[in-house]
Amino acid sequence: MVFKGVVVPASATAPPLGWPLPALQLVANRPIVCHVLSELRKAGVREAALVIAAGHAGELVAHLERDTPAEMRVECIGYGEERTLEQALAQAAEFVGEQPCIVHAQDGLLAQPLAPLKRLLRGGAPDLLTLVKQSAEETNAIGLPTRRLLRLATAAPAAHPIALVGVRLFGEGALRRADGLGWWPESELDLVSLAERLIGDGGRLRVETVRGWQRYTGRARDLLELNRFALDTLAAAAPPAAPAADADSRIEGAVAIDPSAGVRSSVIVGPAVIGAGASVVESYIGPYTSIGAGALIEGAEVERSVILPGASIMHVGGRLTGSVVGRDARVFRDFSLPRALRLNVCDGAEVALC
């Protein structure tokens, strides 16, 4: 079976113009939505519809022109000006037609490949494969409606809190039947109604538990977890050829270094990625770290962190870990007197002094 892809917003409400689009947040130096498309392509999807708020379409298309997977056609379907989200989703259903499809939120990633899940829809397969994960956060746990959903799927309710995952797989023609039932944004009641409709039409439902799923909801820890997922993909693939660093540097594990980046007298332990034009000098870059384009790391130790483009970290006097450093931000040690902490902290930022 040839699957199509539909990449959808996590909610009907798009961020105001001028605010960053969650799908374009960088992890492993690529927008989240580009990782989503890459995962769809690895699962054999060659055509995908991307449902996007019209006001953000230009910015997103610019990224896609630079970073769409090879041999993949992406059709953008806007909403918010000439059409509603419901109409855009109906157009996406027409795009899919009678083919099976993978519906994926544009601002989240699974911690496992899609291809094995796709195989669950082969030969007498369910019409809808809904994914859940165990959740440590009670606020994200599924309540009574989804326990009804589990019973519809002849699965016993989980003993531990579970949460819906922003990926659904529809069998042949099932998405067209779902159109108009509020199948997205995700709603427990709508999902149950959809399952009941499909079962009433003679269809079948299956619920599958996945290892992990993470969306970007504006928290730094979301980006760190998404960065980990993306870099695990790098580690699982054949290690990319890293340009030779100077004789005083050491590269270990899966490390992707852009040819225009520079590494001098440093140790880099993968999985890690160093972006275009970045410079790493006399530093340690530990696992699960992404260094953005044009960033400067000098005389510092950084691990399990996301360093966004243009940022600089210089001689901080301690290891930076579990951190997100924003675009063009500067973190440095000031040796001038009098000695004191001097901070410029924006709204919503977090500073931990250890």
Side-chain angles (χ1 to χ4, degrees):
M1 293 188 294
V2 178
F3 277 69
K4 286 190 174 182
V6 179
V7 184
V8 297
S11 73
T13 305
L17 291 176
W19 286 69
L21 188 67
L24 293 180
Q25 292 293 325
L26 298 181
V27 294
N29 288 353
R30 299 176 66 206
I32 297 169
V33 67
C34 293
H35 287 287
V36 170
L37 293 172
S38 291
E39 290 303 310
L40 289 172
R41 183 66 192 91
K42 290 175 188 175
V45 173
R46 291 179 177 271
E47 295 182 89
L50 178 59
V51 180
I52 181 69
H56 294 272
E59 182 183 10
L60 192 143
V61 168
H63 281 276
L64 294 182
E65 288 176 348
R66 298 190 296 267
D67 199 359
T68 297
E71 300 180 351
M72 187 176 198
R73 182 176 74 87
V74 179
E75 178 178 317
C76 291
I77 302 174
Y79 70 92
E81 290 183 354
E82 297 180 357
R83 63 167 70 89
T84 65
L85 176 59
E86 184 178 3
Q87 292 170 328
L89 293 174
Q91 184 176 337
E94 287 301 312
F95 169 84
V96 171
E98 295 301 311
Q99 291 179 249
C101 74
I102 302 172
V103 177
H104 200 303
Q106 63 187 224
D107 61 351
L109 293 173
L110 281 172
Q112 64 192 70
L114 285 166
L117 297 171
K118 189 184 75 170
R119 288 195 287 269
L120 297 176
L121 270 76
R122 287 181 179 172
D127 293 272
L128 172 63
L129 176 63
T130 293
L131 306 181
V132 298
K133 69 164 186 173
Q134 290 193 353
S135 175
E137 300 182 27
E138 291 288 346
T139 55
N140 290 336
I142 298 176
L144 180 60
T146 299
R147 294 190 180 277
R148 285 174 53 208
L149 180 70
L150 292 173
R151 290 190 180 95
L152 287 172
T154 67
H160 302 287
I162 55 174
L164 284 172
V165 164
V167 181
R168 308 248 167 79
L169 284 77
F170 288 81
E172 294 178 349
L175 186 62
R176 271 188 167 172
R177 281 183 278 161
D179 184 31
L181 287 177
W183 54 274
W184 205 275
E186 56 187 36
S187 162
E188 296 175 12
L189 290 173
D190 289 341
L191 184 57
V192 172
S193 298
L194 169 60
E196 289 174 339
R197 169 71 71 86
L198 290 172
I199 290 171
D201 289 342
R204 288 188 292 169
L205 166 71
R206 177 169 177 169
V207 176
E208 189 77 12
T209 301
V210 295
R211 291 199 304 268
W213 159 262
Q214 184 64 56
R215 281 184 54 219
Y216 177 64
T217 63
R219 303 176 302 181
R221 65 180 180 179
D222 296 340
L223 278 186
L224 293 172
E225 187 72 352
L226 286 162
N227 195 57
R228 183 175 72 83
F229 287 1
L231 289 175
D232 273 338
T233 300
L234 172 69
D246 68 0
D248 295 325
S249 294
R250 188 170 79 249
I251 309 296
E252 299 179 2
V255 177
I257 303 177
D258 189 271
S260 64
V263 177
R264 298 200 336 259
S265 303
S266 297
V267 175
I268 303 179
V269 179
V273 59
I274 312 297
S279 182
V280 179
V281 181
E282 297 179 348
S283 296
Y284 165 75
I285 305 300
Y288 295 111
T289 299
S290 59
I291 307 297
L296 169 62
I297 314 295
E298 183 175 326
E301 299 186 15
V302 183
E303 68 180 16
R304 293 192 301 106
S305 295
V306 176
I307 312 303
L308 292 172
S312 63
I313 302 172
M314 302 176 64
H315 306 288
V316 291
R319 181 170 297 184
L320 201 67
T321 184
S323 300
V324 176
V325 179
R327 295 174 186 270
D328 301 318
R330 297 177 64 218
V331 181
F332 61 97
R333 193 172 185 182
D334 190 348
F335 295 94
S336 63
L337 297 175
R339 296 188 62 183
L341 293 172
R342 287 178 285 277
L343 305 175
N344 292 314
V345 182
C346 67
D347 293 346
E350 181 181 281
V351 177
L353 303 176
C354 301

